[in-house]
């Protein structure tokens, strides 16, 4: 270690580096959380549909279901929608005269409760049990953390804490 | 004259950055594993067949009686463009790999889309 002035400069550099990494980790954690949610929601959906089909002893009529992936656009019934479509149906143009919302299918699955309430950190012990059973062991610490509530701080799962 | 406090601060920061590097690498690995798992999961033929929502699920999810729910099913890589709200409410869809399906969630209770 060199002169104090150099050390001071180095400390500052390290401080910046540390902050940068913390930010990136935070962002990657939420990315991972979203992937975990998607995995849980999709597995739950498939399980539910399989059970329903087994109980009914048949598949639902094709025109009563919508396969993933899809996107939802919702708006007030009062909204006037002007729609132009190309002949081959490759291009669409919608004009709304009022506000609308766009949601992806995962959002729908979340609203259906398929993510076990993990998306808002509201998870009953029963929900948590289900959620944990739907992910590989390595992801369980994250699921447990998500069940406690929305995560605001960076947390690091050490190797010692992953003993579930 | 070496500032002992500064030296120990320097050491501490070095260790922290090192720990964070390791944590980030661990995260990267988990993310790529998760991505792969999700892809395999959703592409598995049985799951693909069972990966659907019912019309009544959609209705329940947007359960305001005042809402119109439009479903868009588009091939991968379809581009969606939304205009700036100040320039009106416009959505355009452009597919290169096949036709796009758009339909409304039914009003009645027939459960048929």
């Amino acid at each position: 270690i060199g002169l104090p002035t150099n050390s001071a400069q180095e400390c500052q550099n390290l401080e910046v580096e540390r902050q940068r990494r913390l930010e990136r980790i935070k962002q990657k954690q939420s990315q991972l959380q979203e992937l975990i949610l998607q995995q849980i929601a999709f597995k739950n959906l498939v399980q539910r549909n399989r059970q329903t089909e087994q109980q009914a002893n048949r598949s639902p009529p094709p025109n009563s279901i919508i396969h993933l992936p899809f996107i939802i656009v919702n708006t007030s019934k009062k909204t006037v929608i002007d729609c132009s479509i190309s002949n081959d149906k490759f291009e669409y143009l919608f004009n709304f005269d009022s506000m609308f919302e766009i949601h992806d299918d995962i959002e729908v699955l979340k609203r259906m409760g398929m993510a076990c309430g993990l998306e808002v950190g509201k998870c009953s012990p029963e929900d948590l049990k289900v959620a944990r059973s739907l992910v590989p062991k390595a992801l369980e610490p994250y699921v447990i953390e998500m069940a406690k509530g929305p995560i605001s701080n960076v947390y690091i799962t050490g190797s010692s804490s992953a003993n579930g | 004259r070496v500032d002992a406090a500064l030296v120990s601060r320097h050491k501490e920061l070095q260790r922290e950055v090192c720990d964070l590097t390791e944590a980030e690498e661990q995260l990267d690995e988990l993310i790529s594993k998760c991505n792969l798992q999700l892809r395999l999961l959703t592409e598995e033929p049985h799951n693909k067949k069972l990966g659907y929502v019912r019309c009544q699920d959609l209705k329940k999810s947007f359960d305001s009686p005042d809402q119109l729910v439009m479903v868009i099913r588009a091939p991968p890589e379809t581009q969606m463009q939304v205009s700036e709200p100040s320039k009106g409410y416009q959505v355009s869809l452009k597919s290169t790999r096949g036709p796009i399906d758009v339909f409304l969630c039914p009003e009645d209770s027939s459960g048929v889309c």
Side-chain angles (χ1 to χ4, degrees):
Chain A
I1 289 158
L3 295 166
T5 47
N6 286 346
S7 288
Q9 182 58 44
E10 273 237 16
C11 275
Q12 215 175 6
N13 291 347
L14 281 171
E15 191 73 63
V16 170
E17 180 64 20
R18 180 176 156 270
Q19 210 48 47
R20 212 181 280 149
R21 281 186 190 271
L22 275 173
E23 281 305 311
R24 276 214 305 265
I25 286 177
K26 224 178 189 174
Q27 194 211 328
K28 284 178 182 176
Q29 275 176 345
S30 46
Q31 197 185 339
L32 180 61
Q33 282 170 15
E34 185 55 35
L35 285 170
I36 292 172
L37 282 182
Q38 289 185 19
Q39 198 175 125
I40 290 171
F42 187 78
K43 282 187 181 166
N44 259 330
L45 180 77
V46 165
Q47 253 174 29
R48 182 201 73 164
N49 289 345
R50 184 180 294 126
Q51 270 167 19
T52 314
E53 288 192 18
Q54 271 166 3
Q55 273 161 19
N57 216 354
R58 65 180 172 87
S59 303
N63 56 359
S64 72
I65 59 174
I66 304 145
H67 278 93
L68 270 56
F70 60 79
I71 285 175
I72 297 296
V73 177
N74 65 302
T75 182
S76 159
K77 273 180 191 155
K78 290 182 211 129
T79 304
V80 177
I81 309 171
D82 175 62
C83 176
S84 345
I85 312 170
S86 68
N87 282 329
D88 57 8
K89 289 175 77 186
F90 277 49
E91 284 182 45
Y92 282 70
L93 185 66
F94 298 100
N95 273 296
F96 300 80
D97 74 347
S98 179
M99 283 199 286
F100 59 88
E101 293 174 3
I102 301 175
H103 300 285
D104 63 5
D105 41 21
I106 296 301
E107 171 65 22
V108 175
L109 299 193
K110 284 176 188 167
R111 289 182 183 209
M112 286 163 65
M114 294 293 143
C116 301
L118 280 176
E119 73 278 16
V120 284
K122 276 187 188 150
C123 209
S124 70
E126 200 49 47
D127 284 334
L128 180 57
K129 219 171 116 190
V130 173
R132 285 178 68 168
S133 74
L134 295 175
V135 296
K137 270 265 177 285
L139 297 176
E140 278 193 45
Y142 287 88
V143 172
I144 292 163
E145 203 61 40
M146 284 157 83
K148 287 181 194 159
I151 293 158
S152 48
N153 287 317
V154 168
Y155 61 95
I156 294 167
T157 55
S159 49
S160 57
S161 69
N163 55 355
Chain B
R1 188 171 65 91
V2 174
D3 190 333
L6 198 58
V7 170
S8 79
R9 175 84 187 120
H10 186 265
K11 261 194 189 145
E12 194 187 305
L13 277 170
Q14 257 178 337
R15 217 201 46 238
E16 275 181 46
V17 168
C18 203
D19 286 349
L20 289 175
T21 308
E22 207 177 300
E24 192 178 353
E25 277 165 10
Q26 216 180 7
L27 267 175
D28 284 338
E29 201 184 313
L30 279 176
I31 287 171
S32 69
K33 264 192 203 160
C34 247
N35 265 320
L36 180 68
Q37 276 161 3
L38 198 60
R39 224 188 56 223
L40 293 176
L41 190 68
T42 51
E43 281 174 4
E44 201 275 319
H46 265 93
N47 290 341
K48 226 173 171 165
K49 232 182 96 202
L50 287 165
Y52 60 78
V53 303
R54 297 169 304 198
C55 294
Q56 57 258 48
D57 296 326
L58 276 187
K59 242 185 301 181
K60 260 187 247 160
S61 303
F62 299 88
D63 71 347
S64 155
D66 153 61
Q67 286 292 297
L68 182 84
V69 180
M70 203 157 77
V71 183
I72 300 171
R73 295 201 72 238
E77 290 173 36
T78 297
Q79 285 187 19
M80 185 178 212
Q81 252 178 2
V82 180
S83 68
E84 263 187 65
S86 60
K87 291 180 183 146
Y89 304 107
Q90 196 178 68
V91 176
S92 76
L93 299 166
K94 225 176 240 183
S95 160
T96 52
R97 290 171 51 174
I100 302 167
D101 269 334
V102 177
F103 48 90
L104 291 176
C105 205
E107 294 281 305
D108 55 48
S109 51
S110 67
V112 171
C113 290

